[in-house]
């Protein structure tokens, strides 16, 4: 409405100027010199009103509104270097140190270590036990305690503590996985690349779907207590992962659902097999039957339990070495997992179909739990020789594994939000006619503030607050980047603006310009006449 009203105003001014200026000039030719000067003054007044009042008014009312953005702080985020700290408390068992050595133990000691993308991990032989909590026990031999100074004893412990930190806290593989979308891994680091591509990317929420596939309901009546199995095996893990993301779980049974790949019969095993090369073709036909929640934008983790029909049972999965997979299951990166559950042991000598089969959920959930850990990014670092790691217990996740996951997600969120907000700032800087509303400026400022707070909390070791601030930065940066007002189709390019305004302003400017040129020419002529009279 603003542009239309301003254009209408200047259209009327243009018409007035087109009529008045030539009329004034024509009248000036037939008037006396004093009257001609008055006419020239009137023409000058019209030109002055147009230039002094009209042009600034048009410029102000048609300019693109661009709210202020913290560009300097955004550019600083692009060069961000994280300084992460891990607090380690070393407790010596009674009798380990002599009274004289205890007096010389330093209260604090700080060590710095720089992680590069192409760095190498330190591997040495030690004897260490890592528990479920945030504790580890190191065994010191008697020969190391006797006749050693405190400095020598601490120097002996230092590499062991470094290895414990590599296992229990962030490591090189975690850095590579968190920054896999922004830092190209070294060609020789294929394991870290595979780990980073296996897990789902960070998200505020995930949807977990358990599906039971029964391709032969005429032969098998399958019964699975999925609700109790989820409560006993999956829910403890998700409860512990509550600081990381929100989870929703559903289940379904699909009848006459086939894998889409014909298994091969192996006479030596008297069984059907699926080769590792054919597993990639299993997912697409099944995925079409799974359905999706169109109302949610969260990633979906699919876990499929497939019971072969009676004519293709038993069915075993083989790896690339053509050996049986112990779990008889496989997982697809950033998609989910599939387990084949054979029921031919229930048949007996004279089976009667349809047969009622109760599925052992403990066996199934053990496989799905391991796959869920991998898909959510709970990576188990390779332990050096001599290390013993305690089992995760009923929760399915050790405390220090949760710390590693929170650290990795925070770094990933910080990197993603930084990339998003930096790209947005570059886009807005390159396209100057895009309107920057106050809402967008507020989201950008909120992103920068949340990123700064996340980095500060991460450096201080407060993983819970750091993860929360990084989530807020992700949400604010995405709201700013995908704001509908930033669509380029809502704005006119410069060539279209010239095509609109030139027909409007050119008829008005030409008479004014000609009148000014004529008055300038007459002024020069009078100056020459005066100079000639003086001479």
């Amino acid at each position: 409405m603003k542009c239309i009203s301003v254009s209408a105003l200047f259209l009327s001014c243009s018409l007035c100027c087109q009529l008045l200026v030539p009329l004034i000039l024509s009248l000036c030719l037939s008037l006396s010199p004093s009257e001609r000067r008055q006419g020239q003054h009137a023409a000058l007044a019209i030109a002055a009103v147009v230039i002094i009042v009209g042009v600034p008014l048009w410029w102000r009312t048609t300019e693109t509104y661009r709210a202020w953005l913290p560009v300097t702080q955004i550019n600083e985020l692009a060069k961000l270097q994280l300084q992460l700290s891990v607090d380690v408390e070393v407790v010596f068992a009674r009798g380990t140190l002599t009274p004289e050595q205890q007096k010389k133990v330093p209260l604090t000691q700080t060590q710095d270590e720089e992680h590069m993308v192409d760095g190498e991990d330190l591997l040495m032989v030690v004897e260490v036990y890592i528990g479920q909590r945030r504790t580890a026990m190191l065994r010191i031999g008697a020969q190391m305690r006797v006749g050693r100074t405190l400095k020598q004893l601490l120097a002996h412990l230092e590499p062991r503590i470094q290895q414990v930190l590599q296992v229990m806290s962030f490591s090189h593989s975690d850095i590579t996985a968190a920054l896999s979308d922004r830092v190209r891994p070294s060609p020789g680091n294929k394991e870290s690349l595979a780990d980073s591509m296996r897990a789902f990317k960070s998200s505020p929420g995930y949807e977990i779907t358990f599906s039971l596939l029964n391709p032969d309901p005429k032969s098998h009546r399958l019964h699975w207590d999925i609700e109790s199995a989820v409560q006993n095996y999956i829910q403890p893990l998700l409860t512990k992962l509550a600081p990381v993301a929100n989870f929703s779980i559903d289940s379904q049974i699909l009848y006459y659902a086939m894998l889409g790949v014909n298994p091969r019969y192996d006479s030596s095993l008297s069984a059907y097999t699926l080769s590792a090369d054919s597993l990639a073709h299993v997912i697409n036909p099944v995925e079409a039957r799974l359905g999706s929640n169109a109302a949610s934008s969260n990633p979906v983790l699919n876990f499929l339990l497939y019971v072969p029909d009676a004519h293709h049972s038993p069915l075993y999965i083989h790896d690339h070495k053509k050996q049986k997979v112990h779990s008889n299951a496989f997982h697809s990166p950033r998609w989910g997992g599939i387990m084949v559950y054979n029921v031919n042991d229930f048949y007996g000598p004279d089976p009667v179909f349809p047969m009622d089969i109760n599925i052992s959920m403990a066996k199934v959930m053990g496989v799905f739990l391991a796959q869920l850990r991998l898909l959510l990014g709970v990576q188990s670092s390779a332990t050096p020789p001599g290390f013993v790691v305690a089992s995760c217990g009923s929760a399915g996740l050790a405390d220090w594994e949760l710390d590693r996951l929170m650290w990795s997600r925070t770094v990933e969120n910080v990197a993603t939000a930084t990339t998003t907000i930096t790209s947005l700032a570059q886009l807005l800087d390159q396209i100057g006619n895009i309107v920057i509303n106050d809402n967008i400026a507020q989201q950008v400022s909120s992103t920068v503030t949340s990123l700064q707070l996340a980095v500060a909390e991460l450096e201080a070791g407060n993983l819970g607050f750091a993860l929360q601030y990084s989530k807020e930065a992700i949400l604010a940066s995405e709201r700013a980047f995908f704001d509908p007002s930033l669509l380029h189709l809502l704005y006119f390019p410069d060539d279209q603006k010239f095509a609109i305004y030139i027909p409007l302003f050119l008829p008005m400017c030409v008479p004014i310009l000609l009148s000014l040129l004529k008055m300038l020419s007459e002024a020069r002529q009078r100056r020459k006449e005066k100079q000639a009279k003086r001479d």
Side-chain angles (χ1 to χ4, degrees):
M1 295 299 296
K2 181 187 297 184
C3 294
I4 294 175
S5 60
V6 171
S7 300
L9 174 63
F10 276 90
L11 179 61
S12 59
C13 293
S14 175
L15 294 175
C16 293
C17 292
Q18 295 179 50
L19 295 174
L20 290 178
V21 174
L23 179 60
I24 293 173
L25 292 178
S26 61
L27 292 175
C28 290
L29 297 177
S30 60
L31 298 177
S32 61
S34 60
E35 293 175 341
R36 290 177 59 186
R37 283 195 296 269
Q38 293 178 359
Q40 293 174 354
H41 292 163
L44 287 175
I46 294 175
V49 169
V50 172
I51 297 174
I52 299 176
V53 179
V55 173
L57 179 62
W58 166 78
W59 185 271
R60 182 68 182 88
T61 54
T62 58
E63 69 177 348
T64 301
Y65 179 75
R66 297 174 66 87
W68 178 83
L69 298 179
V71 179
T72 303
Q73 298 177 358
I74 294 176
N75 293 333
E76 292 177 355
L77 290 175
K79 304 176 182 178
L80 182 64
Q81 292 185 353
L82 296 178
Q83 296 180 356
L84 308 173
S85 62
V86 178
D87 295 331
V88 180
E89 182 178 356
V90 181
V91 180
F92 292 94
R94 182 176 297 178
T96 303
L97 300 179
T98 64
E100 185 64 25
Q101 290 176 334
Q102 294 179 13
K103 297 178 182 179
K104 299 180 180 179
V105 174
L107 296 179
T108 59
Q109 184 175 352
T110 303
Q111 294 185 359
D112 296 331
E113 181 179 355
E114 183 176 1
H115 284 271
M116 304 299 293
V117 176
D118 56 351
E120 296 182 356
D121 294 335
L122 178 65
L123 294 177
M124 296 178 63
V125 180
V126 292
E127 296 180 359
V128 177
Y129 175 81
I130 298 178
Q132 295 181 8
R133 309 301 178 185
R134 298 175 179 88
T135 58
M137 291 187 295
L138 287 74
R139 177 181 298 176
I140 304 177
Q143 69 277 10
M144 293 302 303
R145 300 196 301 265
V146 179
R148 299 272 182 166
T149 63
L150 178 63
K151 185 176 181 181
Q152 292 174 337
L153 184 60
L154 294 178
H156 174 72
L157 288 175
E158 182 178 339
R160 298 187 178 188
I161 296 176
Q162 288 287 343
Q163 289 182 320
V164 172
L165 291 178
Q166 289 287 338
V167 175
M168 298 183 67
S169 67
F170 54 88
S171 61
H172 172 70
S173 60
D174 297 319
I175 298 175
T176 304
L179 303 178
S180 60
D181 291 346
R182 289 151 193 87
V183 179
R184 181 177 300 177
S186 56
N189 200 357
K190 296 182 179 180
E191 182 178 356
S192 298
L193 178 60
D195 292 340
S196 64
M197 295 299 295
R198 178 189 299 118
F200 278 85
K201 305 306 294 181
S202 179
S203 175
Y206 298 92
E207 297 184 12
I208 302 176
T209 301
F210 294 98
S211 302
L212 175 61
L213 275 61
N214 186 358
D216 190 11
K218 295 181 180 179
S219 301
H220 303 145
R221 286 200 294 257
L222 304 178
H223 307 279
W224 67 335
D225 191 0
I226 186 62
E227 185 175 356
S228 298
V230 168
Q231 291 296 327
N232 295 331
Y233 297 97
I234 304 298
Q235 193 58 48
L237 173 62
L238 302 185
T239 301
K240 201 161 188 178
L241 289 173
V244 178
N246 299 321
F247 295 90
S248 62
I249 303 177
D250 58 7
S251 62
Q252 60 182 344
I253 300 178
L254 301 178
Y255 297 99
Y256 300 102
M258 307 297 294
L259 291 181
V261 176
N262 295 323
R264 295 183 178 181
Y265 182 77
D266 191 339
S267 58
S268 62
L269 299 175
S270 298
Y272 291 88
T273 62
L274 286 175
S275 63
D277 297 332
S278 64
L279 298 180
H281 306 285
V282 171
I283 295 177
N284 288 341
V286 176
E287 191 174 20
R289 295 285 307 275
L290 296 180
S292 61
N293 187 2
S296 176
S297 59
N298 294 329
V300 180
L301 287 75
N302 298 284
F303 295 97
L304 278 59
L305 181 62
Y306 179 76
V307 179
D309 59 273
H311 301 288
H312 296 90
S313 185
L315 177 61
Y316 298 106
I317 297 176
H318 283 187
D319 57 16
H320 291 284
K321 297 181 181 180
K322 297 184 179 180
Q323 301 294 324
K324 280 186 181 181
V325 177
H326 176 70
S327 62
N328 209 24
F330 70 97
H331 69 275
S332 178
R334 300 183 183 180
W335 185 85
I338 298 179
M339 178 181 180
V340 177
Y341 191 90
N342 292 308
V343 296
N344 55 295
D345 293 337
F346 294 88
Y347 290 168
D350 297 318
V352 178
F353 298 105
M355 182 176 293
D356 291 314
I357 298 175
N358 293 318
I359 296 176
S360 174
M361 300 306 297
K363 177 182 178 181
V364 173
M365 285 300 166
V367 175
F368 285 163
L369 184 62
Q371 294 178 344
L372 179 61
R373 282 169 50 92
L374 292 175
L375 293 172
L376 291 178
V378 182
Q379 307 291 346
S380 299
S381 299
T383 56
F387 272 59
V388 177
V389 180
S391 62
C392 301
S394 59
L397 188 70
D399 290 349
W400 55 271
E401 288 182 317
L402 177 60
D403 292 341
R404 287 184 55 179
L405 182 60
M406 293 175 65
W407 178 90
S408 177
R409 293 303 192 194
T410 303
V411 172
E412 181 182 349
N413 291 342
V414 169
T416 301
T418 300
T419 303
T420 302
I421 207 67
T422 303
S423 301
L424 177 60
Q426 294 175 352
L427 175 67
L428 296 178
D429 181 64
Q430 294 174 358
I431 307 177
N433 59 343
I434 290 184
V435 175
I436 305 177
N437 296 324
D438 292 334
N439 179 43
I440 297 176
Q442 181 181 0
Q443 297 296 340
V444 171
S445 299
S446 176
T447 302
V448 174
T449 302
S450 298
L451 284 174
Q452 293 173 343
L453 292 174
V455 171
E457 296 293 344
L458 191 61
E459 293 178 351
N462 301 324
L463 297 181
F465 290 109
L467 181 59
Q468 182 61 33
Y469 285 129
S470 68
K471 289 181 181 178
E472 295 175 1
I474 283 285
L475 294 177
S477 64
E478 291 182 350
R479 282 196 297 264
F481 192 87
F482 296 104
D483 192 279
S485 64
L486 294 180
L487 295 178
H488 66 280
L489 294 179
L490 299 178
Y491 305 96
F492 292 110
D494 292 336
D495 54 349
Q496 294 187 13
K497 289 183 179 180
F498 285 121
I500 293 174
Y501 288 118
I502 285 179
L504 179 65
F505 288 104
L506 189 61
M508 177 182 65
C509 295
V510 169
I512 296 177
L513 182 61
L514 292 177
S515 63
L516 294 178
L517 292 176
K518 184 169 183 60
M519 286 186 288
L520 181 61
S521 176
E522 292 179 354
R524 289 181 179 177
Q525 184 64 30
R526 287 194 300 269
R527 187 178 304 172
K528 290 181 180 179
E529 292 177 356
K530 292 180 179 180
Q531 186 68 25
K533 290 180 180 180
R534 291 178 183 178
D535 296 339

